[in-house]
Each structure stands twice: as C-alpha cells, then as structure tokens.
C-alpha cells in the first residue's frame, strides 16, 4: 500500500517511523521528547558505550523544504551536535530538489560527523518491506487478531483432512503476523490442563483449546507498547505466604479464589476481563 505521508500528523508519523527504525535497527532507542529530545527522536548507541552512533531526527514535512522548515532542521542538528554523535540522519518524506540538496550539503560542511537525508523514496521502500506497520497505524487492525481466532474456530467445522488443514492454518498464522508491528503471534493447540508456556513468551492467551503465544517482533517492543493489567486481589491472613515470593523477585501463582477482578490490556484485541482464573505473576 502507498503511505499517504501528506495526511499524517506529526505524532502518527513519528510513531510509524520510530517503529520502522526499531525493526531496522533492533538496538535503537526511541527518545521521549517531553523534556527536549536533543535534536534526535531515535538513537543508536555504540555497543558497550553511552556515546551515540547515530541520531535520527524525524520530520513529518511534505511538499518542499521551505526556509522555516530548514531553520527547524538546522536547530535540531545544532542540538544534536552538542551530544557529539558519530552520525546524524534526517528522515523526512521529501526527496530533495537540487537546491534543497545543495543547502543540505552546506550543513554537512559545518559539522565533523556525517549527515544523511532519508527521503520519501527511502521511506516508501522500507514501509513496503514492512506492510504491517502501515496497516496497524492507518487501517486500524489493532483488534483483528481476535476476529481471526474466531475464524479459526469456524475453520475447524469445515476441515476435511490434514492436508486440507495445513495450508489454511499457515495462511491464518501469516495473516496474524501481518497486522501488528510490535508483536508476533504463534498458535498452539492444548487439551485438558496441558498448558506449558514457552520460556521467552511475553504472554499467552487460551481461547478454548487454542492458545495464542505472543512474542515481541523486536527488542524494545514491550516498552513501546506495554502490556498492562489491573487486578483486585482479596488477601486474607492465610494468603500472605502466596504473595511472599514477589517480595524476593520470584514468580508466584495467585489462585482464582483471591482474584475478585482482573482486566488485562493486550495487543490484538486479546485482552479483557480475566476474572475467575489463575494468574501467574512476577515483578
């Protein structure tokens, strides 16, 4: 799909491109600009050091790089220069004209570190390679995982053979992983009380005899889109020993009799009210 850069606000542009950079550079970090971003919205630090290997400045400008916009870019560059990065990269959905490129080349001569301009062509190419990012932010696919799981239950009623089932399940799994730029979804079937969770899973949700295991698509995804939980736990004197492991940083299972209410906000529409079940928790 073609990305309508001219229709995006500054916040949505920054969110989309930040996720893109986190996918391209797993060790990159998004900067919270509430206290001033220091001329960069995303950065990569040198391995084992605190110095900046690359500072990325994201601008949602479209059309042309008018004088006022050039001044904004220049001010951001000057703030970033105070941090002494090894490289500074401007990402903006504008492919420069010869005059704009000449202006950018002059900026290059005033700093000892390399400057790069990543424009509209570069952005379109990278977004085409990661279509889930655009779909998530532009098409509202945040809750589509749950609807696809409902589809899975319908599929079970019409499957005729194992060879018939495999391509359908593969197609469903592929679709699940096309609609969320933050998390990857894997399907597993469970029967009875069989419920062995993978060690590196972020969370698992069971719907009937189908379990959805969710993993981050890149390092830092959980920080960018955290999983939140609100629980009301009724604790009596006899229950204190159950909660004690949490004080030592250990995992504990809170039995359903203690949970009077629990709401979990999960990606893909998998969240909701989980009262009445056991909760395995760790700090």
């Amino acid at each position: 799909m073609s990305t309508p850069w001219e229709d995006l606000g500054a916040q949505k542009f920054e969110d989309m491109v930040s996720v893109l950079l986190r996918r391209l550079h797993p060790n990159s970090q998004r900067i919270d600009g509430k206290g001033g971003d220091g001329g960069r919205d995303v950065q990569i630090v040198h391995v084992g050091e605190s110095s900046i290997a690359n500072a990325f400045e994201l601008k949602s400008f479209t059309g042309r790089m008018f004088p006022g916009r050039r001044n904004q870019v220049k001010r951001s560059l000057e703030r970033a220069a105070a941090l002494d990065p090894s490289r500074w990269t401007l990402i903006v959905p504008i492919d420069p004209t010869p005059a704009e490129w000449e202006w950018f080349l002059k900026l290059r001569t005033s700093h000892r570190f390399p400057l790069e301009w990543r424009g509209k062509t570069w952005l379109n190419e990278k977004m085409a390679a990661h279509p889930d990012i655009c779909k998530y932010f532009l098409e509202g696919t945040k809750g589509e995982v749950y609807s696809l799981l409902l589809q899975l239950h319908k599929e079970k009623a019409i499957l005729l053979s194992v060879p018939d089932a495999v391509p359908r399940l593969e197609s469903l799994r592929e679709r699940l992983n096309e609609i969320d730029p933050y998390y990857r979804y894997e399907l597993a079937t469970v029967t009875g009380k069989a419920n062995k969770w993978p060690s590196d899973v972020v969370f698992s949700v069971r719907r009937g005899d189908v379990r959805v295991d969710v993993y981050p698509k890149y390092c830092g995804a959980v920080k960018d889109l955290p999983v939140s939980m609100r629980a009301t736990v009724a604790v009596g004197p006899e229950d204190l020993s159950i909660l004690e492991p949490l004080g030592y940083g250990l995992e504990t299972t809170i039995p359903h009799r203690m949970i009077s209410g629990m709401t979990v906000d999960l990606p893909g529409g998998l969240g909701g009210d989980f009262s009445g079940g056991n909760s395995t928790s760790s700090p």
Side-chain angles (χ1 to χ4, degrees):
M1 64 177 294
S2 177
T3 305
W5 302 108
E6 62 281 355
D7 297 331
L8 301 182
Q11 187 60 56
K12 183 169 288 188
F13 173 82
E14 184 176 321
D15 289 342
M16 289 176 60
V17 179
S18 294
V19 171
L20 173 65
L21 289 173
R22 299 274 263 166
R23 295 275 286 279
L24 296 175
H25 308 283
N27 60 331
S28 63
Q29 305 166 347
R30 186 172 182 180
I31 303 300
D32 186 345
K34 292 179 181 178
D37 59 20
R40 83 280 195 223
D41 296 294
V42 177
Q43 68 179 16
I44 299 174
V45 298
H46 289 288
V47 177
E49 302 178 21
S50 59
S51 57
I52 299 174
N54 200 341
F56 298 89
E57 179 66 12
L58 313 183
K59 296 295 187 186
S60 60
F61 307 145
T62 58
R64 297 271 53 92
M65 192 69 77
F66 303 118
R69 294 175 170 181
R70 295 185 188 188
N71 288 334
Q72 288 187 49
V73 170
K74 185 177 180 181
R75 287 195 297 269
S76 295
L77 175 56
E78 289 171 350
R79 290 196 299 271
L83 302 174
D84 195 27
S86 298
R87 182 178 298 273
W88 185 85
T89 302
L90 171 67
I91 300 182
V92 59
I94 297 175
D95 289 330
T97 64
E100 290 167 343
W101 184 244
E102 183 178 350
W103 161 76
F104 193 70
L105 290 178
K106 289 181 180 178
L107 287 182
R108 280 179 163 181
T109 62
S110 60
H111 296 277
R112 66 176 188 82
F113 50 85
L115 273 62
E116 293 182 280
W117 180 322
R118 300 299 189 188
K120 185 175 182 179
T121 298
W122 182 88
L123 279 168
N124 286 339
E125 176 188 323
K126 299 304 179 184
M127 285 296 181
H130 301 276
D132 55 329
I133 298 176
C134 281
K135 289 180 180 179
Y136 181 87
F137 286 102
L138 301 181
E139 297 183 1
T141 57
K142 297 180 182 180
E144 195 171 339
V145 173
Y146 185 63
S147 64
L148 286 171
L149 293 179
L150 294 178
Q151 176 185 328
L152 175 61
H153 285 286
K154 293 178 182 178
E155 289 280 0
K156 293 193 300 184
I158 59 175
L159 293 176
L160 301 177
S161 65
V162 172
D164 184 42
V166 171
R168 296 191 195 182
L169 293 177
E170 287 180 344
S171 176
L172 180 60
R173 176 185 172 277
E174 289 177 5
R175 178 60 183 143
L176 282 170
N177 287 294
E178 287 176 353
I179 62 178
D180 193 327
Y182 297 99
Y183 293 99
R184 172 173 60 87
Y185 300 87
E186 298 294 343
L187 301 175
T189 57
V190 292
T191 56
K193 295 184 178 180
N195 222 357
K196 186 176 181 181
W197 314 111
S199 59
D200 54 344
V201 71
V202 175
F203 63 88
S204 295
V205 175
R206 181 170 171 176
R207 301 289 188 185
D209 55 0
V210 177
R211 193 184 73 221
V212 185
D213 298 323
V214 185
Y215 304 82
K217 275 191 174 179
Y218 60 88
C219 180
V222 176
K223 181 178 179 181
D224 291 345
L225 189 67
V227 173
S228 62
M229 180 180 71
R230 297 176 300 280
T232 302
V233 180
V235 182
E238 70 280 6
D239 299 320
L240 295 179
S241 60
I242 296 175
L243 301 179
E244 186 177 359
L246 292 176
Y248 296 96
L250 302 175
E251 183 179 279
T252 189
T253 298
I254 302 173
H256 66 83
R257 63 177 176 79
M258 294 173 56
I259 303 174
S260 58
M262 183 169 67
T263 302
V264 186
D265 184 12
L266 301 177
L270 290 173
D273 183 8
F274 286 82
S275 304
N278 292 338
S279 173
T280 301
S281 306
S282 59

